[in-house]
Amino acid sequence: MAGDKAEKTDAAATGLAGLLLPYDEKGYTRGPDLGEFGSDAELSGRQATALRKESLKDLPRSERRKLEKALDKRSLKGMAMRSYYNADPYDIHHKTAFSVSVVLARMESRDDARDVATAQNEFLSAIGIFRKGPKIEGHKNAKCFLTPKVDDEKLDRVFCAAYSGDVLISATVSGLRPLDLNSIGIFVTRQLDRIDDPGKAV
């Protein structure tokens, strides 16, 4: 019943929500709640700005504040987000499992989407503390960064950003170290393919 409900929701989705990968895509199921909005939601511009800032909370404070200021200069028209959980059914200890949250934000213009995605990627690259994330095939403007390796930290996170038209795309992945970067790269590539080819969302 839950699967049927998810498929109906995906089929009925329009706009930004219709561009998100459905839950039945290669075995992905509903992930953890995204704040108070649940695992699948569409937001207004004001709600979107607040949530975008919240999504930066895992970054170092000084870097986070700079990105928040950049967001304040760009108006968001709306947002759609969905969280996913991926686990190998044969991995009983869930060592290879990870969760992904995808956020699609519609900006005022293509230039705004490009500028925010480019600024975030250049910034994370320039501070020099992140490891190289998975490669996203066929999407030159997409970049992913893996959090620094800390000896007593059991979790890894990946931050990805890209844009397509006036849509800013962000993906945040979390799971036990070491993350399966190949699977993450495939997922993000599929999501970006779907946005670049709206026919796939019908």
Side-chain angles (χ1 to χ4, degrees):
M1 292 293 291
D4 292 341
K5 183 178 180 181
E7 289 177 9
K8 289 178 181 178
T9 299
D10 293 330
T14 58
L16 282 178
L19 296 177
L20 289 163
L21 284 173
Y23 283 117
D24 59 353
E25 178 74 14
K26 304 300 181 181
Y28 284 87
T29 59
R30 287 182 180 271
D33 285 351
L34 299 165
E36 71 270 31
F37 302 107
S39 59
D40 191 7
E42 195 160 6
L43 310 178
S44 67
R46 180 178 296 181
Q47 290 173 312
T49 298
L51 193 67
R52 276 286 295 165
K53 291 182 179 180
E54 176 68 17
S55 72
L56 302 173
K57 67 180 181 179
D58 291 324
L59 297 177
R61 183 179 178 183
S62 59
E63 286 77 14
R64 184 180 72 245
R65 292 183 67 180
K66 290 178 182 178
L67 289 175
E68 286 176 347
K69 289 180 180 179
L71 283 173
D72 286 335
K73 296 178 181 178
R74 303 290 198 283
S75 176
L76 292 178
K77 297 169 67 175
M79 177 184 286
M81 58 185 183
R82 186 171 291 170
S83 69
Y84 306 80
Y85 184 71
N86 177 59
D88 183 341
Y90 298 103
D91 177 17
I92 61 174
H93 299 293
H94 301 291
K95 291 184 177 180
T96 62
F98 57 83
S99 62
V100 187
S101 62
V102 177
V103 178
L104 308 183
R106 191 173 298 282
M107 311 295 288
E108 287 289 344
S109 69
R110 176 187 175 87
D111 288 345
D112 284 346
R114 179 198 62 208
D115 290 349
V116 173
T118 301
Q120 177 173 321
N121 288 335
E122 289 180 347
F123 184 72
L124 294 180
S125 179
I127 60 177
I129 63 173
F130 290 94
R131 291 174 286 166
K132 186 177 180 180
K135 183 178 180 181
I136 309 303
E137 297 290 343
H139 299 276
K140 294 181 179 179
N141 70 57
K143 291 187 181 298
C144 295
F145 298 85
L146 180 62
T147 46
K149 188 174 182 179
V150 180
D151 290 341
D152 60 350
E153 179 60 65
K154 295 181 180 180
L155 294 177
D156 270 340
R157 292 183 179 85
V158 170
F159 301 99
C160 301
Y163 67 92
S164 179
D166 62 353
V167 178
L168 175 66
I169 304 108
S170 301
T172 303
V173 185
S174 180
L176 291 174
R177 177 179 295 165
L179 282 172
D180 182 354
L181 297 185
N182 183 60
S183 293
I184 293 168
I186 291 172
F187 175 87
V188 176
T189 298
R190 286 181 179 139
Q191 176 62 86
L192 294 177
D193 286 346
R194 184 178 176 93
I195 295 170
D196 285 349
D197 183 0
K200 294 182 180 181
V202 175

